[in-house]
Amino acid sequence: MSAPLMGDASEPTLFEFSSPGRRAFSLRTTDLPDVPMDALVPRPHQRGEPLEIVEVSERDLVGHFTRLAHRQYSVDLGAYPLGSCTMKYNPKICDEAASLRAFAGVHPATPPSAAQGWLQVLVELEEMLCEITGMAAATLQPAAGAAGELTGLLLMRAYHAAKGDHRTRVIIPDSAHGTNPASVTLGGYEVTTIGSDERGCVDVAQLREVLGPDVAGIMLTNPNTLGLFEEDIVEIAAMVHAAGGLLYYDGANLNPILGVVRPGDMGFDIVHMNLHKTFATPHGGGGPGAGPVAVSQRLVDFLPGPRPVRASGGVGFELVRPPASIGRVHSYFGNSLVLLRAWSYIKLNGAEGLRRVAEIAVLNANWIRASLRDLYDSPYDRPVMHECVLSVASLKRATGLRALDVAKRLLEFGFHSPTVYFPLIVEEALMIEPTETESPETVAALVVALRTIAEEARADALAGVALRAVSSPRTTPVERVDEARAARQLVPTFDASSYHH
Amino acid sequence: MSAPLMGDASEPTLFEFSSPGRRAFSLRTTDLPDVPMDALVPRPHQRGEPLEIVEVSERDLVGHFTRLAHRQYSVDLGAYPLGSCTMKYNPKICDEAASLRAFAGVHPATPPSAAQGWLQVLVELEEMLCEITGMAAATLQPAAGAAGELTGLLLMRAYHAAKGDHRTRVIIPDSAHGTNPASVTLGGYEVTTIGSDERGCVDVAQLREVLGPDVAGIMLTNPNTLGLFEEDIVEIAAMVHAAGGLLYYDGANLNPILGVVRPGDMGFDIVHMNLHKTFATPHGGGGPGAGPVAVSQRLVDFLPGPRPVRASGGVGFELVRPPASIGRVHSYFGNSLVLLRAWSYIKLNGAEGLRRVAEIAVLNANWIRASLRDLYDSPYDRPVMHECVLSVASLKRATGLRALDVAKRLLEFGFHSPTVYFPLIVEEALMIEPTETESPETVAALVVALRTIAEEARADALAGVALRAVSSPRTTPVERVDEARAARQLVPTFDASSYHH
Amino acid sequence: MPDYVPHTPEDISSMLDFLGLSSTAELFAAIPASIQLSRSLEIDAGISEADLSFELAEIGARNSSVGAPGSGLVCFAGGGAYDHEVPAVTRALAGRSEFVTAYTPYQPEVAQGVLQALFEYQSFIGRITGLPIANSSLYDGSAALVEAVNLAVAEKHCQRVVISRGVHPNWREVLATFAAGTGHQLELAELPTGATDWSSIDASSPAGAVVVGYPNFLGCLEDLAEARIFADRVGALLVVCQDPVTAGILKSPAEWGADIVIGEAQAFGTALSFGGPYLGFFACRSELVRRLPGRLVGETLDLSGRRAYVTTLRAREQDIRREKASSNVCTNETLMAVTTAIQLGWLGTVGLREVGLSSARAAHYARTVLTKIAGVELVTTAPPLREFALRLPIPANEVVEALIGEGFLAGISLAEGFEGTEYEGALLLAFTERRTRQEIDNFAAALARVVTK
Amino acid sequence: MPDYVPHTPEDISSMLDFLGLSSTAELFAAIPASIQLSRSLEIDAGISEADLSFELAEIGARNSSVGAPGSGLVCFAGGGAYDHEVPAVTRALAGRSEFVTAYTPYQPEVAQGVLQALFEYQSFIGRITGLPIANSSLYDGSAALVEAVNLAVAEKHCQRVVISRGVHPNWREVLATFAAGTGHQLELAELPTGATDWSSIDASSPAGAVVVGYPNFLGCLEDLAEARIFADRVGALLVVCQDPVTAGILKSPAEWGADIVIGEAQAFGTALSFGGPYLGFFACRSELVRRLPGRLVGETLDLSGRRAYVTTLRAREQDIRREKASSNVCTNETLMAVTTAIQLGWLGTVGLREVGLSSARAAHYARTVLTKIAGVELVTTAPPLREFALRLPIPANEVVEALIGEGFLAGISLAEGFEGTEYEGALLLAFTERRTRQEIDNFAAALARVVTK
Ligand SMILES: Cc1ncc(COP(=O)(O)O)c(C=O)c1O
Ligand SMILES: Cc1ncc(COP(=O)(O)O)c(C=O)c1O
């Protein structure tokens, strides 16, 4: 198997580098007696056939994964304006923090007396997140946003149950992220979807209609997924509370409100945060994340346990179980190393730094919106918060250009694509989130690229030729990928592959 | 300034990302009194204009150098068969060794009592290198091969001088690496070049002619740069010694002789080694290296100092000055972290591992030679050691294909090029060194690529069209680079650049 | 303090100008003034990176870490979190910024690196579990368990779940937490010998899932044939929580008839990390693929016919199916899956077997040595493999505390999840290929001192 | 033991077959049997990577390192090797395997990464020294000094070299070592005040090079105007050994009239590393470019007209010019040059100035505090900057040994290169932006204890 690099051949799977007898591993010398297999494993449990996984040299292992890395876009390579994902630059110092032996080498079953450093970080992080959100306490256990949502819904359920109040429905706007309705179902509730009004905000009238004694609560994203702040939030909170419901804040995108406004002050009872977005934990290609959930005072007793707290004696830290705890939601304390990164990030930025994040994230997003609204539709034509949603609808009618084509063509300009086709309520949506770490120059270059794509489409349509964007990308490691084929002829593992060489 | 990535635009210089007021750095809080400049620096020494270097954000810094890295070939990306360079895979554990605080954090002025670990590594490495080369002692100070050569020549000079013997010439074969003659000049000697015979080896008759009382010594590379073992070495050694000269072994390429044959046993008096080749220190894009020099007993007293040795008391290690030391050849102890890597590499491989390196390096090289000699010329058609030199001469005459074109076209197949036009005694030379870490599959793929290139050239010539190889490479980060222009219109810094944007 | 935002004051004012604004405060005009924060956050001022390093060192010194060459505690704790070898090469490759700073692979054309690595991860998990389908990661072992039970319940339309007490007690607790939402009914099967006794469970009413560990939390080898028979009797899917490190020496759960195999794969290259991020793996039979939770990468072609990878069968997922999705998982543990693919590549066929064998060998030796100490005895009789629980003359939690001072993390003191059983207060020890004879002998001596004090 | 060679026994035998050989031993048939090694090397058997880690930890524990947050010695030693801040970002970028595992950029089409980084390094060095030409690295400060003198001597056809005693004593020694080959005659100018006194040197006969430090080894600011006058008087090129960390606050050597500026750039991102690998920088006036030692990267175009970089004016180099080359250097310190480009990008204009200022500020404070200790006094009167030498009541080497036990690397005890001068036995201290008031106060207290004991 050769090792294609600069050329445009694809990279073989690791399995195709395998050859019996090759090895990369070496292990400690243990000097342990060499007990025969039969003394270690009863016959019926012993494997018959050896388990063949792969046999490669360290050299081929390194070549393979280094080449794979060269086939991968990342924040470190360039701008990644995926809406709702907050792909900001992540300080390298946080990577180093997470690789310190003194933290990374601690076993989760270490008794609290020997893990005081970890407990301190967790408690301090909880305190800082509560200050940021304006809440009373938080659990750091949920491993990602969706896990936080479900935890929040179980807290809601426990709260109502403790009052003997049986409620069955949770209200979600149609612009919500898909995890919200999915979490509601797993939380044992029914979803009631409500629409957005012409401003792109919750339709308050509709909300009033669906509120009732069976409503456990409402889940809101604010700013919502259109990048718009729900201006009626105070009124909404009063309405929901009046109906006996709780307000859940999807804080996946906390970036634009840091130091500006706090969910607790808006009237929310439960807030989850995506530390892997706002607090600069790199996204790892799809995780790990961390989705802490902060709550108002009335929900504190229900939080998951064990919970790191300041020791009752005043010195040090200990683990406690809240009196009416819903129980664990993670094997241990959550994604601790992600939590350590977030702690580090907040320490580095401080109060002013965090507010600056919000200001510039919002400034960048508005600048982009203002620079593109003549060429792309701006469905709810108002200033935005940290991201803006544009639409390719008019361009599509005029030229055939789709949001997907814009996304693919943009790759050829050296940028990652925005989020497309979300939120679902906007036709041919492009959801652009520049974040605060991209410079004005980079943001301007992104605008130029997006303008070029629109203008190319117009020119091509006028000339009656096929749109350039439809055959893009061509300068990427592979050309446009056949997604339908993947689903039709499922090849989920190398063993199921038809490409044996 | 935008940040081009997947596209084929070139990457701006860091200076072009600069904008006044941007910053990446942050420093420790020192709480030191804020003394005014005039109290720190006398007026005449104070800078007038501020020194402007660059002002960029950490985000742009990371983006820039990550994109530069994506424009760079490396061993970790694929095979790098550069002859005479031994671009083998370097175990990652050695990188970790070199980054350990306990080693990397030691100041060179630390007293020996507080640097015993370092001295132990240096002494043990010296001992292992002496065993590998069959010599009595070594200095680890030279920072690279050429520095080792010069050190060796100064040792030669000191040796003769101590005997009151004034000699003026050093003999070097015409196949020698360019550093050899350059070092001879700096060592204060004149170069006498001798030719190679039809076997590609030292012309013994010619050597006999040039030997005389003014000859300080001879520098030999064995195997020589044709990849051939100097079969007459025993006779040569006897001749040179009889004439009162010393034998210098250019051991830059020690790979093929590890555990097989030792320069000391061949009769050499001085040996330099390139640890950055044989002992798996990554080459760093052109350094750092390490070029220890090992010597026979009669030269030990002349070695550079300070020299780490086992303490005379028997416990621990100390620094001594050899009685007739030529003096320091490095600011401190040499490229210590490179030395630590080499120590680690030898420890990992052990005696059998090192011999295996030699065997497989030689096996791979011979396999390549045998697989290509029908299409490329094999000027000295004999089995080789760790590398083989082929020639494009016949192909050039038949088709116009040059060694340079082969090199450039090979890049498109995902391989680095071999060394070209060296050694100088072979017309249109391709010098191929696969090393032992490339698998048979990779070596075979390299052969296929080289065969394809030759066959393409024949086909193109037959068809009377321009050779494909002449316009290659096209799939690389830049196309063929205009070297003449670089020399003609020298632009050695950004400030001298005509590309201000 | 460091500043990760590139905008200079001039940048800001020219951008504000363009927007017709005169201050950044105006950017937030849509937010009612009544709720805007009128003060600074009460968070300390930012500190420099250098100062942070010193603070991290100071706080970190209050932790006892394990496994560092030449320092730290020697680790005998396990329970889903193990001190296995992580070579430099795994750290170097998994730490590459292209993997670390990428998002979920939404644009496959520029995400082939992550996608192919995940495809290879799925292929490895397929081989280790013996099943044809594996997803591309879940949060941790507990999350994988929850998803497995949800799948089984949905498939069988039956919310009764029979779970062995031999499944990790924390995972069982997570399952119970989430059952408050789903309404699943959980029933516990006991461990008289250390292995599960299904006979005491009512087999006359149906169940959706039967869940068992292999080896189980107490380190015992379960008779999966019996578990399979029991699952068939109650019409349930058989969910096996596998210790994947044992895959090289044990029959695969699929061979025993498992329908779903899940577990924790921290052991393959991920640091102990005080419990996270870890890696939940999930594999199942082909028929179940349309209920698979989480992401699945499939092989396909690009327009020019080259092999390519993409996330597929996405119609199961929450962003498309919303409240009808097979799971709510979105962000998962991709980087740990990539790490695992690298680590398994490093171990290879021989290494994986060797790690399993060496771990079992160390446990075997330690059992012999430790049970020679007066008052120390094995609490289980079922066959052990690389973990085992000991009854000690004094409470296990005291022993653990005492031995930290001697340089050992002695194990896990069994409490939660074993209340009222014979295992409460026992010490659970785990062994990996990194434990040497010397370490075990030293540990035995220290343990003997502590329990006879 | 690990095996980094991929060949299986089957691979080997089939390759041997193809070559018509029956054993690997036959591959070495060209080597006379009489000299072939008939035994194994007497080197221990290979050990595993894990075992190596333990061995490294054990040996490393016998070193006292400096500067680690929260542990190690607090560093007051300098002399060309400084404890400056190295941020995570520099380590991360300079550690990328594309930079680390590349060779010298012989094929520019696939080496634009290293070439452009070197071009940027050259540009930085140009600005720091104030000169238009900089090469792409030499081994260390001493090698740069040797090359500078060689260039000057060749340019001026005069082997007399006048060098200030204020140049690093180790570098002076290296220069002397190599002068045995070149035949240069070295003459030392003394430092009565701590700065160089050229007046006692014979100015009537010509010289090729005049060499001076800025600031010099004792930390003093030399009057470069005087040095320039002296160099002109003897017809020599003026070579200045610059501490580049001071460039942000001091007039550049070029402004003072230097022809060649060299020095050690370890301070910009490279670890102390027990003395290497370090980085010798080299800059000169344009007219001297054809004698420039080492590699030079230039900007050019590719065939399609895009900006590209390549090593240029290669006719100076040994592989082309052989015995007539301007230098024998081949492998240099590219990775450290790349590191420096990254580090200077991180520092930027403001950071570079700040580092210089803070270092000077720390030295200023320390001078005040330390000279209050009875019997401790400054040995120089020339203006100091960020280093200075103290006379102590007891020998400096004893003080250094004693203070290691108290957690300090107190400085360099002056001996070699200062024999017989008033500086012999003094303690040379250096300061960087990483030294805090607290550290200096603690150090002063410890020093007072030691010298009054
Ligand atoms: C608005 C919103 N809510 C919830 C989520 C889910 O978070 P996670 O992916 O961490 O589960 C996301 C992120 O994808 C999001 O953008
Ligand atoms: C045969 C030979 N001798 C000497 C050298 C010079 O070594 P270095 O580049 O380390 O100075 C080399 C390497 O380039 C070489 O291949």
Side-chain angles (χ1 to χ4, degrees), chain A residues 84 144-146 149 177 179 221 250 252-253 274 276-277, chain C residues 103 330-331:
Chain A
S84 205
E149 293 170 19
H177 193 267
T179 48
T221 310
D250 178 337
N253 300 290
N274 278 16
H276 43 304
K277 296 182 177 174
Chain C
Y103 200 78
C330 177
T331 292

Side-chain angles (χ1 to χ4, degrees), chain B residues 18 28 51 105 140 226 305 321 392 418 429:
Chain B
S18 189
R28 264 189 101 173
L51 173 59
L140 306 177
L226 295 163
R321 290 251 172 195
V392 191

